[in-house]
Amino acid sequence: DKKHLILVGLAGYSAYNGGIEYLGNISNEGPSGEGAALVGDAFYEGQWKEYDKHGFGVEIAPDGAAKMGEWEDDKFVKEYSD
């Protein structure tokens, strides 16, 4: 699914099928570590592992609704309150 990946030191930019634009840490396997992305119409900032949201992060939907918590393999698994 990956279209391209350009490495710039520890930070990079990636765009691939599904409408994701990413800025943050990357590894040979893709976005990993801390980063931010536009995922469709939503914005996500947090931890990544090989192109998936994985670890702590915050996702904000176009209507302003936010999910803050833990993600595993691109799935929201545990919500944290303020």
Side-chain angles (χ1 to χ4, degrees):
D1 286 334
K2 297 174 225 175
K3 286 185 183 173
H4 64 273
L5 184 64
I6 301 170
L7 302 177
V8 183
L10 293 177
Y13 168 81
S14 174
Y16 59 99
N17 294 337
I20 296 176
E21 296 182 7
Y22 172 86
L23 180 63
N25 294 330
I26 52 178
S27 71
N28 290 336
E29 290 79 31
S32 293
E34 296 293 322
L38 291 175
V39 183
D41 290 334
F43 174 79
Y44 173 81
E45 183 173 2
Q47 297 171 333
W48 295 80
K49 181 181 175 186
E50 301 173 9
Y51 284 96
D52 288 337
K53 295 175 266 186
H54 194 89
F56 178 78
V58 177
E59 183 178 77
I60 302 172
D63 66 2
K67 292 182 188 175
M68 179 174 65
E70 291 292 324
W71 301 76
E72 289 181 12
D73 300 319
D74 228 26
K75 294 179 179 70
F76 190 62
V77 295
K78 182 177 180 182
E79 185 170 8
Y80 295 158
S81 60
D82 295 340

